[in-house]
Amino acid sequence: MIFQKNDLIRIIYWGILCLSPFQMVWAQDVRESNPILIISSYNPETFQTSKNISEFLDEYKLLGGTSPVMIENMNCKSFSESIQWKHQMQEILHKYEEYKSPKIIILLGQEAWSSYLSQEDILQRKTPILCGMVSRHVILLPTDTINLKNWEPKTIDFKKIYGKKLNISGFAYYYDIKTNIQLIQRLYPKTRHIAFISDNSYGGVSMQAHVREDMKSFPKLDLILLDGRRHSIYTIADQISLLPENTVILIGTWRVDKYDSYFMRNATYSMMSANPRIPAFSLASVGLGHWTIGGYNPLYRSIGKDMAHQAIYILRHPSGVRKWETIPNKYVFDCNKLSEFNIDQRLLPLGADYLNQKQTFFEKYRYQIGAITAIFLLLVFGLILTSFSYLRTKRLKDKLQESEIELLAAKEKAEESDRLKSAFLANMSHEIRTPLNAIVGFSNVLVTENFSKEEQKEFVEVIQTNSDLLLRLIGDILDISRLETGRLKFTYEDCDVIGLCHKILATTSFSKKIDVEYVFETDMEACLLRTDVQRLQQVLINLVSNANKYTERGRITLAFQENETKDFLIFSVTDTGSGIPLEKQRKVFERFEKLDEYAQGTGLGLAICKLTIEFLGGKIWIDQNYVGGARFMFSHPIKNSNEEEVKIHSIRKTNRFRNA
C-alpha cells in the first residue's frame, strides 16, 4: 500500500489523541502558566507517538501534575525536507520563549531530537529536555542547501559527546551494528558482502551513517548501500536480485523511497521475493516474522508512563540528577527462517526470543496432561484432608491443655486482683482518713475554742488544703475509672502550648521548695496544637508536681520539641531530685505504685498520665540515660488519629522561662 500524502495518517493520529480520556490542557493560553511543551516529529511512527503522548498525559494527571501541556507537531515526512526542520524547531522554541519559557521540553521522535541538537545555541539553553523514541546515535542537520541524495553525514554518539554538557534526560535506543555483524559472521563465516537497506527518512540516513562508521571495524567485509534516497522500491528490488554470492542483507528501515512515498509491510515482501535465498538480518525489527532470520534489536516498548514519572521528578527536583536510560537490546529469531536456512539453534546466543516457534510436547498434549494433573491433585487433596483431620484432632487436644493452663493463670490473676482490691481499699482508707481527720479536727477546734484571727486563718487554710487534697484523691479515682472504661470524653481544641507551659509553671510554683528553680525550654517561638487542653494540662501538672515532691534543691525543667520526622511533639519534665531506681522504673506507671510509701498520694497520678497520653495517641516513658535525677518524657502526635491534622508553626528560636 503506497500513500503519496499523509492525510490518512494525520486523521488517525488526531483521532487517537482526541479519544484520550485525559482532558488535555493544550488549548489553555501558554501565557497563563509555564507549560510542559511536547514537540513531536509527526513521522510515519504515528500510532506509537500518539500512544506515548496519551499514556504520558494520563499518568501525568494521576501523579498530580498541574502544569498545562502544549503539543506542537513538526510534520516531518521524508529526509528531503530535513533542511527545513532546524528552522521549524527554532520557530517553535521562539514562539514559547516570547511569553513564558516551558518548564520542560519533551522531544518525541528522531527528527525533533536532531532538530533540537542542531540549534547553534544548544549549549546555552537551560530548559530541561526529556526525549523519547530517539536513537543514541544522531546526525546533525545540514545548514546549507546541499545534495541530500549524496550527503554522507557523520554519526555522533550523543551520550559520549553531549551527555554531561546538556540538561537532557530520557529514553534512547541503541542500534548495535557490531553485534549484528558478529552474529552474521558467526552463522555465515564465508560472508564477504553486507548489503544494508535504508530508506529516505531521517532514521534511515542516521542508521546508514552509523553503519558506515561501525563497518570500519570489519575491513574484510564489503559494504553495499541500498539507499532509499537514490532508489524506489522497484529499483531496490532489482538491486537485491543482482547481489553477488556470499552476501548477507542487513535491514535498517524501509518506509519512504526517493519519491517520498510511504510503504507498509508489503514493501519488505517485494524485496524478499526479489532474491529469497539470500539470508537477511534485521537491525531494528523490520522484516521479523516473515523475511529476516533474526537480529540483535532494541526491546521496543511504550515509554509514555516512564516519561511522566521523569517529568514529575524534574519538576519536583530541579537540581536533581537526570536519568538517561538506554533501552536494552535482545536477540530475536524466526524459527521458520532458521529451519528454512538450516541453521542449528545451538549456534545461537543464549537467552534469545523466538518467533513462530513450534508447539512443545506440553503444549501439544496439554489437555491430557491437565487430566493427569487433576487426578494427581485430587489424590494429594485426599492426603491433605486426612492429614488435616489428624492435625485438627491433635490441635484440639493441645488447645484443651492450653485452656487448662489459662484457667490456672486466670485464677491466679483473680486472686491477685482481690489482693489489689484489698490493698486499694486499705490505701484509700488511710489516704482519705488523713485529710478527713484534719478537716473534722480543725473544724471542731474552730467551733469550740476561742482563737485569734491569725490562728483561725491558719486553721481555715489547713482545712482548705486538706479539702483540696481529698477532692484530688476522689478526682483521681474517678478519672482512672472513666479512662479504663472509656467513658471519659476528650474535647479537642487549638492550644497555645508555650502559653500552657508558662501557666503550668506559674500555677505549681507556689508549692515548690525555696531552693528549687523552675526552667522552661523550647526551640520554637510559637506552637499551636490540636489537643484536649484540660487533659494535657492535667498530665503536665501531675509530672511537675511529682518532680516538686522529690526535689529539695536544684532545678525542674519543663521542655518540648519536635521529633526528627516532625510528626510528634516530645514533652519532658526533668528534675534534680532523688531519682528513680532502675528496678522501679517499669512499675511507676502501674496503679497504686508509690516510690515512697510514706509520701502523700494514691499512686494513681502516673497511671492516669499513661492512660491519658495513650488515648491522645502518644507514649510516656522515663529517660534511663538521665542520671541527675528523674526525667519523664511523653509524645503527642502532631497529626492526631481522632482529629484533623493539627496546626503547628515552628520558628527556630530558644524560648526560656525562669521562676527563681
Side-chain angles (χ1 to χ4, degrees):
M1 185 183 297
I2 302 176
F3 293 89
Q4 296 298 332
K5 295 184 180 179
N6 62 342
D7 293 338
L8 178 59
I9 298 176
R10 185 188 302 272
I11 293 171
I12 296 172
Y13 176 75
W14 286 107
I16 293 172
L17 287 180
C18 292
L19 290 174
S20 171
F22 186 90
Q23 298 297 320
M24 288 185 287
V25 292
W26 53 4
Q28 182 177 346
D29 192 340
V30 70
R31 288 170 290 183
E32 294 182 11
S33 176
N34 297 82
I36 292 176
L37 175 60
I38 299 177
I39 304 178
S40 169
S41 297
Y42 190 83
N43 58 18
E45 291 289 350
T46 307
F47 176 77
Q48 192 62 37
T49 302
S50 62
K51 182 179 179 182
N52 282 325
I53 292 176
S54 178
E55 289 183 357
F56 171 85
L57 295 172
D58 292 340
E59 192 70 11
Y60 177 70
K61 179 182 179 182
L62 289 175
L63 294 173
T66 57
S67 298
V69 179
M70 314 296 291
I71 300 178
E72 294 283 349
N73 290 309
M74 294 182 63
N75 298 316
C76 300
K77 292 182 284 186
S78 68
F79 192 69
S80 57
E81 301 176 350
S82 60
I83 295 176
Q84 306 169 14
W85 298 343
K86 180 179 175 182
H87 180 65
Q88 286 179 256
M89 174 62 70
Q90 190 177 31
E91 286 185 340
I92 292 173
L93 295 175
H94 286 171
K95 171 183 174 182
Y96 287 86
E97 288 170 353
E98 276 185 42
Y99 304 108
K100 290 186 178 181
S101 298
K103 293 181 179 179
I104 303 173
I105 296 177
I106 299 176
L107 303 174
L108 278 181
Q110 302 265 53
E111 294 83 357
W113 173 236
S114 177
S115 301
Y116 182 83
L117 293 179
S118 299
Q119 300 296 309
E120 281 80 3
D121 60 347
I122 183 174
L123 294 176
Q124 284 74 46
R125 292 188 172 274
K126 303 300 182 183
T127 304
I129 300 297
L130 184 57
C131 64
M133 299 177 65
V134 302
S135 172
R136 215 176 83 182
H137 280 78
V138 298
I139 58 171
L140 299 182
L141 298 177
T143 55
D144 302 317
T145 303
I146 61 174
N147 186 356
L148 295 177
K149 291 183 179 180
N150 299 319
W151 184 46
E152 293 186 349
K154 291 185 177 180
T155 185
I156 297 173
D157 187 341
F158 165 80
K159 189 173 182 181
K160 293 181 180 178
I161 297 179
Y162 293 107
K164 296 182 179 179
K165 298 179 182 179
L166 301 178
N167 189 12
I168 293 181
S169 59
F171 306 85
Y173 304 119
Y174 176 71
Y175 298 105
D176 196 335
I177 287 91
K178 292 181 180 179
T179 301
N180 278 284
I181 297 299
Q182 290 167 356
L183 174 65
I184 291 171
Q185 289 181 322
R186 182 177 182 179
L187 300 180
Y188 291 94
K190 294 182 180 181
T191 301
R192 294 293 176 266
H193 312 280
I194 299 293
F196 181 70
I197 300 175
S198 59
D199 66 352
N200 185 24
S201 67
Y202 174 85
V205 177
S206 63
M207 213 177 283
Q208 186 192 108
H210 190 186
V211 168
R212 282 190 280 104
E213 179 66 27
D214 281 11
M215 282 298 292
K216 293 177 183 179
S217 301
F218 303 92
K220 294 182 179 180
L221 295 178
D222 175 35
L223 178 61
I224 301 173
L225 296 177
L226 304 179
D227 193 345
R229 290 179 295 172
R230 304 183 182 94
H231 302 285
S232 69
I233 179 65
Y234 308 107
T235 56
I236 288 284
D238 291 339
Q239 286 190 331
I240 291 175
S241 65
L242 300 175
L243 288 173
E245 291 184 3
N246 298 324
T247 298
V248 174
I249 294 174
L250 181 61
I251 303 175
T253 180
W254 186 269
R255 282 193 174 87
V256 187
D257 69 358
K258 71 173 184 177
Y259 298 117
D260 295 347
S261 299
Y262 284 90
F263 292 85
M264 298 304 163
R265 186 173 179 179
N266 60 338
T268 54
Y269 279 103
S270 300
M271 296 180 187
M272 177 180 67
S273 60
N275 198 341
R277 298 312 304 165
I278 295 182
F281 290 81
S282 178
L283 188 61
S285 299
V286 176
L288 277 174
H290 62 282
W291 180 14
T292 59
I293 295 171
Y296 189 60
N297 304 152
L299 291 172
Y300 296 104
R301 61 179 175 85
S302 297
I303 56 172
K305 292 184 179 180
D306 294 331
M307 294 183 72
H309 284 270
Q310 279 277 39
I312 291 294
Y313 177 83
I314 292 171
L315 292 175
R316 294 176 180 173
H317 306 86
S319 60
V321 178
R322 300 290 181 257
K323 179 182 178 183
W324 178 268
E325 180 181 334
T326 300
I327 295 174
N329 291 18
K330 191 169 187 179
Y331 289 101
V332 182
F333 297 99
D334 184 348
C335 290
N336 290 340
K337 288 297 176 180
L338 293 173
S339 177
E340 180 182 337
F341 286 90
N342 297 317
I343 297 176
D344 189 350
Q345 291 194 20
R346 290 176 294 182
L347 296 175
L348 303 179
L350 297 175
D353 287 343
Y354 292 91
L355 306 176
N356 300 320
Q357 198 166 12
K358 294 181 180 179
Q359 281 188 322
T360 63
F361 173 82
F362 293 101
E363 292 172 335
K364 187 175 181 180
Y365 298 101
R366 60 181 180 274
Y367 297 112
Q368 293 86 337
I369 294 173
I372 295 172
T373 304
I375 294 172
F376 174 75
L377 291 176
L378 187 60
L379 294 174
V380 172
F381 177 74
L383 178 62
I384 293 173
L385 188 61
T386 304
S387 301
F388 174 76
S389 299
Y390 168 76
L391 293 175
R392 185 171 179 273
T393 304
K394 185 177 182 300
R395 188 164 54 249
L396 289 173
K397 181 181 177 181
D398 294 340
K399 187 171 285 189
L400 286 173
Q401 294 176 347
E402 292 175 2
S403 298
E404 185 179 355
I405 296 173
E406 290 174 358
L407 285 173
L408 291 174
K411 178 186 175 185
E412 293 176 357
K413 187 174 182 181
E415 292 174 351
E416 177 65 20
S417 298
D418 187 60
R419 286 194 296 271
L420 288 174
K421 182 187 71 173
S422 300
F424 170 72
L425 292 174
N427 191 31
M428 289 302 98
S429 299
H430 171 74
E431 296 296 340
I432 293 174
R433 187 185 301 113
T434 301
L436 277 177
N437 286 339
I439 294 170
V440 173
F442 281 96
S443 297
N444 290 333
V445 170
L446 283 173
V447 173
T448 58
E449 302 290 342
N450 294 323
F451 295 98
S452 65
K453 290 185 177 181
E454 288 77 10
E455 291 175 321
Q456 290 179 354
K457 182 179 180 181
E458 183 179 350
F459 297 158
V460 170
E461 288 178 353
V462 172
I463 293 172
Q464 181 64 44
T465 299
N466 282 274
S467 297
D468 292 341
L469 176 59
L470 182 60
L471 183 61
R472 187 162 62 251
L473 291 173
I474 296 172
D476 285 349
I477 296 169
L478 293 175
D479 280 349
I480 198 166
S481 174
R482 286 183 292 176
L483 282 168
E484 289 181 339
T485 57
R487 289 183 294 138
L488 187 64
K489 293 185 178 180
F490 282 65
T491 303
Y492 289 88
E493 58 183 296
D494 289 338
C495 171
D496 177 7
V497 181
I498 293 178
L500 178 65
C501 291
H502 282 291
K503 178 181 176 182
I504 288 168
L505 291 182
T507 301
T508 58
S509 63
F510 297 104
S511 60
K512 73 180 180 65
K513 312 310 192 286
I514 297 176
D515 296 330
V516 175
E517 176 189 20
Y518 272 2
V519 176
F520 170 54
E521 293 182 349
T522 183
D523 59 355
M524 301 166 67
E525 188 177 74
C527 178
L528 192 63
L529 183 67
R530 190 76 174 171
T531 186
D532 187 313
V533 180
Q534 181 181 353
R535 300 304 164 191
L536 180 60
Q537 176 177 289
Q538 180 185 15
V539 171
L540 291 172
I541 288 177
N542 276 347
L543 295 178
V544 173
S545 298
N546 268 4
N548 266 326
K549 190 183 299 184
Y550 297 104
T551 304
E552 297 297 329
R553 62 174 55 84
R555 173 185 297 182
I556 295 175
T557 303
L558 173 60
F560 73 89
Q561 62 182 9
E562 290 178 293
N563 67 342
E564 294 181 357
T565 55
K566 298 186 183 300
D567 52 359
F568 280 91
L569 284 183
I570 306 299
F571 291 84
S572 65
V573 176
T574 307
D575 62 54
T576 57
S578 57
I580 303 174
L582 187 61
E583 64 274 9
K584 289 191 176 183
Q585 288 185 6
R586 295 182 180 179
K587 295 184 177 181
V588 294
F589 295 108
E590 295 179 6
R591 292 178 298 171
F592 318 125
E593 280 292 335
K594 297 170 64 176
L595 190 62
D596 183 358
E597 291 296 332
Y598 300 100
Q600 186 68 44
T602 63
L604 295 175
L606 291 178
I608 292 173
C609 290
K610 182 175 183 294
L611 290 172
T612 303
I613 291 302
E614 288 176 351
F615 187 90
L616 290 172
K619 294 182 179 179
I620 188 168
W621 67 94
I622 299 174
D623 185 359
Q624 296 182 356
N625 296 323
Y626 178 70
V627 295
R631 175 178 290 153
F632 284 84
M633 304 179 72
F634 69 89
S635 59
H636 189 295
I638 293 175
K639 185 176 182 180
N640 197 293
S641 60
N642 296 321
E643 285 286 312
E644 70 275 7
E645 183 174 355
V646 298
K647 302 172 184 176
I648 176 166
H649 312 285
S650 303
I651 303 174
R652 303 300 174 190
K653 184 177 179 183
T654 302
N655 189 328
R656 297 174 64 89
F657 167 80
R658 291 181 180 272
N659 187 339

